[in-house]
Amino acid sequence: MKITKEQILSHGLKLDEYRKIKNFLGREANLLELGIFSAMWNEHCSYKSSKIHLKKLPTKNKIVIQGPGENAGVIDIGDDDAIVFKIESHNHPSFIEPYQGAATGVGGILRDVFTMGARPIALMNSIHFGSPDSKKTQNLLNGVVSGIGGYGNSVGIPTVGGETKFNSTYNENILVNAMAIGHAKKNKIFYSKAKGINKPVVYVGSKTGRDGIHGATMASAEFDENSEDKKPTVQVGDPFTEKLLLEACLELMKKNSIISIQDMGAAGLTSSSIEMASKGKLGIELDLDKVPCREKNMTPYEMMLSESQERMLIILEDKKENEAKKIFDKWDLDFVVIGKTTDTNKLVLNFNNKKVADIPIAALADEAPQYDRKWKKFKVKKNNFKIKDLKKIKTEEALFKILSSPDHSNKSWITDQYDQVVMCDTIQKSGGDAAVVRVHKKEKAISISVDSSANYCVANPRTGGKQIICENWRNLISVGSKPLAITNCLNFGNPEKPEVMGEFVECIEGMKEACEFLDYPVVSGNVSFYNETNSKSIFPTPVIGGIGIFDNLNRIIDMKTKKTGNIIIVVGKTFGHLTRSSFLKEVYSINDGPPPEINLTNEKNNGLSVLNLIKNNLVLSCHDVSSGGILVALAEMSITSMLGLKITRPKKFSNFNEYLFAEDQGRYLLEIEKNNLEKIEKMLKKDNTFFEVVAEVQNDIFEVDKILSIKIEELYRCNNQWFKKFNAVN
């Protein structure tokens, strides 16, 4: 049967790509083979538009055990311990079916981590929604949050933090990025590379159904008005089975039976089998009659492209099948030998005693298309306004507007739906600069932060790329940890558009520069393209998940001010940069002009100076200055502790708001004891690090001399009212 043009296009392939497929096969493809190529050649699996640019990112240093290319990245944290982590997107599925889309996003990223031999210890997320005054936004938010909590809580992994943001750019294309972190022994890491000939290929976990077929292809296409008709492409998760699968896999990993192991994630049995064979330069032959199915009369096409959840593919050592099967029987999971490795370098599929597919592995993997797409250099826009021409507003009113806005308001309504303390190793949960989780049964802990930079990136992708790396780095330092490495999830529009590709390329360049300068390697990640609906793209939204390490559990700090009479200093200079600020956005509805510049030398110097002060037990609390500027950061510290602050009136600025709300980068607020000021001053001068005193801790009044005076209870109410109103109105 000849493949039609309509069939080719409906599978997300271009006509010239199908011509390449015919050349690889030396014949027409059948429908099953077309589906397999479609799955392996889409953006989600092949990274065909991004691969050449991703190679620019630094991925190695002395602590990196495994960088990009495996299920998750692995870093060495000493004492034979390793941290395994990754972040991935589940954007399109979550828009179509918010609960299951978000839930299976969590399930998928957990499998990426425990596939490597790590026990998951924490989850994080970055979720972005459209206009907050929309009923649709409320429905999507409720569904996504319920899905994240429902899956994570049920499988017993704490969700310790993340971020939630709102902007109309996400009205028809929300972002749901999930991060998982696991702990393993560095000499017990498992990989997906197949080895050996005639080794048994084993299917384990749940049965295969018809849910999620063409899920990866759907994730590599833009939306239109019919997007919600794609619900059958969304997977359905079962966290209780995931828990069984996790425990069974970790138990088997103790037996020295596994040659390679791969999660059946995007593109299911197709991608898992091909990736294992490709990495091992081997072939693989599968008998599809043996695939456990939960629905009758499933075709080879459906089996190979199903993205049913909670499944793994394992290649075992010879004569280990019985031992392994006993483990999976114990956990009440399917365990079936469905194939073998071969020396043919081909994917061969058999069904009903017939060969139904015969494809060179290289054609599906190494020879998949890679595009150096045209891209347009970004032109930074100048300000269309002057700060001095804006209508004057009282500082108190501006502060209230920012603290009560959707992006800055207290998110406990969301985070309280997540179990943040299950496993009993959570030291610091959501609400601060970074979460802190103890390495189980050890006097060791890691910090975790997830951050995004859409507002800065849309104004200057290169600067925005640098900024989000630096902000993530600052957040980890702010709790007293040394930043180690990152994972990224890069959410962009249609890469076939030169302006979108330009945003991506320049964002990568900015990230590269910052990562190299800070020695902050990228060890894993994900690219999510085609985040647009009816040709309208989202803002470029890079999301960064960072990991830090504490050398002493006694040096973990938070942003909560501790005692009246202590003083607050700011490390880093304030120049008064207001364009792209929360002040202009929330007060004047202006979102224009360039973002603040990033001075990497200052970022590194200021951060290391702060970390040195913390290590010398001179810092009682710390908070980085980011969105909203100094005044908002100080207010957040006060609200957290319910202690007031007497803030020093700025002397160098005629426009006080320009100082108080500026978003200049590289700054930290530190609470210190007065009697340590002189010592700290000497240390910072030695490091050539600028600082100044900005406030003193007092009882219950938050004030700036002759500018504002507010009771802490008022600030608290202001910061906690938005979600109450949001749920009441909608």
Side-chain angles (χ1 to χ4, degrees):
M1 183 182 77
K2 186 177 175 66
I3 295 294
T4 67
K5 176 182 176 181
E6 289 73 22
Q7 287 174 319
I8 296 165
L9 297 177
S10 68
H11 279 77
L13 292 165
K14 310 291 186 187
L15 296 180
D16 64 324
E17 289 177 335
Y18 183 67
R19 284 192 287 272
K20 291 178 182 178
I21 291 170
K22 288 202 300 182
N23 288 335
F24 281 125
L25 296 175
R27 55 176 172 81
E28 288 274 355
N30 61 40
L31 188 61
L32 170 60
E33 293 168 330
L34 183 70
I36 289 170
F37 271 102
S38 166
M40 294 305 297
W41 282 19
N42 63 54
E43 287 285 354
H44 194 78
C45 293
S46 73
Y47 294 87
K48 59 187 177 185
S49 298
S50 59
K51 191 174 287 186
I52 64 168
H53 301 289
L54 294 174
K55 291 177 180 178
K56 302 172 186 176
L57 295 171
T59 60
K60 298 178 181 178
N61 70 5
K62 62 182 181 181
I63 65 143
V64 176
I65 296 173
Q66 175 64 54
E70 269 293 342
N71 288 290
V74 187
I75 57 174
D76 187 345
I77 60 168
D79 305 316
D80 295 323
D81 291 313
I83 292 296
V84 180
F85 65 108
K86 188 182 183 183
I87 191 169
E88 275 202 341
S89 63
H90 232 221
N91 303 336
H92 284 27
S94 298
F95 181 81
I96 296 167
E97 214 300 303
Y99 184 95
Q100 290 296 347
T104 52
V106 173
I109 200 65
L110 282 172
R111 290 193 299 281
D112 281 341
V113 166
F114 72 76
T115 300
M116 301 291 293
R119 179 171 290 280
I121 59 174
L123 290 160
M124 298 277 277
N125 58 74
S126 174
I127 51 180
H128 293 66
F129 299 92
S131 299
D133 55 357
S134 164
K135 178 71 175 177
K136 189 171 187 177
T137 293
Q138 189 205 26
N139 292 335
L140 289 168
L141 175 66
N142 285 336
V144 166
V145 170
S146 296
I148 292 170
Y151 205 100
N153 296 353
S154 297
V155 80
I157 311 297
T159 301
V160 295
E163 61 171 10
T164 304
K165 294 186 176 182
F166 300 87
N167 192 293
S168 61
T169 190
Y170 308 109
N171 275 349
E172 300 300 326
N173 199 125
I174 64 174
L175 303 183
V176 177
N177 295 179
M179 179 180 178
I181 306 94
H183 169 238
K185 290 296 178 182
K186 67 179 184 182
N187 63 345
K188 292 290 288 183
I189 304 298
F190 289 81
Y191 300 94
S192 57
K193 180 180 178 180
K195 296 177 183 177
I197 308 301
N198 289 321
K199 301 295 183 182
V201 177
V202 184
Y203 173 120
V204 301
S206 289
K207 289 180 168 55
T208 296
R210 291 188 170 95
D211 56 315
I213 294 173
H214 282 304
T217 304
M218 175 269 292
S220 303
E222 62 181 83
F223 278 167
D224 56 29
E225 63 274 3
N226 299 315
S227 58
E228 293 188 14
D229 294 339
K230 298 178 180 179
K231 282 190 178 182
T233 63
V234 180
Q235 311 91 332
V236 178
D238 179 356
F240 303 104
T241 300
E242 178 102 340
K243 174 64 173 174
L244 300 177
L245 183 63
L246 185 162
E247 298 298 343
C249 287
L250 293 181
E251 185 174 339
L252 180 61
M253 288 168 173
K254 296 176 181 178
K255 300 292 185 180
N256 296 316
S257 303
I258 297 174
I259 296 174
S260 64
I261 181 169
Q262 178 71 41
D263 164 42
M264 291 193 216
L269 189 52
T270 289
S271 63
S272 56
S273 58
I274 291 164
E275 287 173 13
M276 295 168 92
S278 172
K279 289 174 182 177
K281 305 299 180 185
L282 296 172
I284 194 163
E285 184 172 347
L286 302 179
D287 184 353
L288 299 183
D289 293 290
K290 295 180 179 179
V291 173
C293 295
R294 65 169 180 260
E295 298 182 54
K296 293 181 179 180
N297 302 318
M298 287 191 68
T299 65
Y301 185 99
E302 293 170 326
M303 292 180 211
M304 291 302 295
L305 296 182
S306 168
E307 293 184 10
S308 295
Q309 297 291 283
E310 295 84 40
R311 302 178 300 157
M312 293 279 188
L313 202 64
I314 302 174
I315 297 175
L316 289 175
E317 296 283 4
D318 292 327
K319 300 179 181 179
K320 296 290 186 177
E321 297 98 312
N322 290 338
E323 179 185 56
K325 188 175 187 305
K326 286 179 182 178
I327 293 172
F328 284 85
D329 286 347
K330 170 186 147 182
W331 292 100
D332 197 25
L333 296 166
D334 279 299
F335 178 101
V336 184
V337 178
I338 64 168
K340 63 183 180 181
T341 59
T342 69
D343 60 0
T344 64
N345 297 110
K346 290 184 175 184
L347 173 71
V348 175
L349 304 178
N350 300 305
F351 184 70
N352 285 343
N353 296 314
K354 294 181 181 178
K355 185 187 292 185
V356 292
D358 187 346
I359 310 172
I361 292 288
L364 294 165
D366 295 341
E367 299 298 327
Q370 287 190 42
Y371 296 127
D372 186 1
R373 296 198 184 275
K374 292 181 180 179
W375 61 278
K376 187 181 292 184
K377 189 172 176 61
F378 190 86
K379 291 183 179 180
V380 180
K381 298 176 182 177
K382 296 181 180 180
N383 293 343
N384 293 322
F385 64 94
K386 294 180 179 178
I387 301 295
K388 65 179 183 179
D389 295 335
L390 296 174
K391 182 181 177 182
K392 289 187 178 180
I393 186 171
K394 290 183 178 179
T395 303
E396 180 177 324
E397 185 181 349
L399 178 61
F400 277 17
K401 280 182 178 288
I402 296 171
L403 287 178
S404 63
S405 67
D407 283 353
H408 289 86
S409 61
N410 187 320
K411 303 295 193 304
S412 59
W413 177 83
I414 291 173
T415 56
D416 285 352
Q417 296 184 53
Y418 308 147
D419 191 334
Q420 300 186 63
V421 297
V422 64
M423 299 178 74
C424 300
D425 283 319
T426 305
I427 296 174
Q428 195 164 299
K429 53 188 184 180
S430 60
D433 290 304
V436 181
V437 177
R438 182 194 296 269
V439 179
H440 192 59
K441 294 183 178 181
K442 301 211 173 180
E443 290 299 306
K444 184 186 296 184
I446 60 167
S447 58
I448 317 162
S449 182
V450 171
D451 305 280
S452 62
S453 182
N455 190 41
Y456 288 170
C457 266
V458 74
N460 187 330
R462 188 178 294 262
T463 299
K466 284 194 286 188
Q467 186 274 336
I468 198 55
I469 299 296
C470 293
E471 182 173 344
N472 185 266
W473 198 74
R474 288 197 302 272
N475 281 333
L476 299 181
I477 287 176
S478 295
V479 295
S481 65
K482 177 186 177 183
L484 295 179
I486 67 168
T487 180
N488 61 48
C489 193
L490 307 177
N491 306 275
F492 287 77
N494 186 343
E496 298 168 53
K497 296 178 179 178
E499 60 273 18
V500 171
M501 201 64 212
E503 292 172 341
F504 180 81
V505 172
E506 296 206 49
C507 182
I508 290 285
E509 292 288 350
M511 290 170 59
K512 170 183 179 291
E513 187 179 348
C515 286
E516 287 179 341
F517 198 90
L518 300 174
D519 190 22
Y520 204 27
V522 182
V523 300
S524 60
N526 170 235
V527 176
S528 176
F529 277 134
Y530 296 98
N531 288 290
E532 55 182 74
T533 300
N534 294 325
S535 297
K536 186 177 180 180
S537 175
I538 64 165
F539 286 173
T541 311
V543 177
I544 304 299
I547 300 291
I549 189 74
F550 296 88
D551 60 2
N552 189 328
L553 293 185
N554 295 322
R555 295 193 182 117
I556 299 170
I557 60 174
D558 56 27
M559 59 190 277
K560 183 178 179 181
T561 52
K562 303 301 184 293
K563 186 180 177 182
T564 58
N566 289 339
I567 57 176
I568 308 286
I569 64 171
V570 61
V571 173
K573 288 185 179 180
T574 300
F575 299 98
H577 190 101
L578 279 180
T579 55
R580 288 284 156 179
S581 68
S582 293
F583 174 75
L584 291 182
K585 179 186 175 186
E586 304 299 345
V587 177
Y588 296 99
S589 298
I590 294 173
N591 201 27
D592 204 355
E597 287 300 316
I598 307 297
N599 184 317
L600 291 174
T601 301
N602 287 345
E603 283 281 0
K604 188 172 186 177
N605 189 57
N606 294 351
L608 294 180
S609 294
V610 169
L611 200 56
N612 187 42
L613 293 177
I614 294 171
K615 286 181 177 179
N616 281 277
N617 299 314
L618 294 169
V619 179
L620 299 171
S621 65
C622 180
H623 188 25
D624 84 307
V625 182
S626 55
S627 180
I630 283 180
L631 193 63
V632 170
L634 288 168
E636 289 168 344
M637 294 176 79
S638 278
I639 292 168
T640 304
S641 65
M642 295 303 287
L643 288 173
L645 287 174
K646 187 174 184 178
I647 300 163
T648 305
R649 185 182 175 97
K651 297 176 181 178
K652 298 178 182 178
F653 288 78
S654 57
N655 184 336
F656 300 137
N657 288 343
E658 200 168 354
Y659 172 85
L660 294 170
F661 296 106
E663 294 186 8
D664 303 289
Q665 299 293 290
R667 296 178 296 163
Y668 302 79
L669 293 169
L670 312 181
E671 179 190 8
I672 65 171
E673 293 180 342
K674 282 183 180 179
N675 59 7
N676 285 328
L677 179 60
E678 187 176 343
K679 183 178 181 180
I680 289 169
E681 183 175 8
K682 287 180 180 178
M683 291 174 69
L684 292 177
K685 280 186 176 180
K686 184 181 178 182
D687 293 340
N688 197 29
T689 302
F690 175 86
F691 87 99
E692 60 185 350
V693 177
V694 293
E696 181 176 330
V697 183
Q698 58 184 16
N699 282 323
D700 60 352
I701 302 296
F702 185 86
E703 63 179 324
V704 183
D705 184 36
K706 298 180 181 179
I707 297 177
L708 64 82
S709 180
I710 310 165
K711 287 187 176 182
I712 293 300
E713 288 83 358
E714 289 183 58
L715 278 184
Y716 178 86
R717 282 195 295 272
C718 171
N719 192 231
N720 281 270
Q721 67 183 5
W722 187 80
F723 271 102
K724 293 178 182 178
K725 291 181 178 179
F726 174 73
N727 288 307
V729 171
N730 288 282

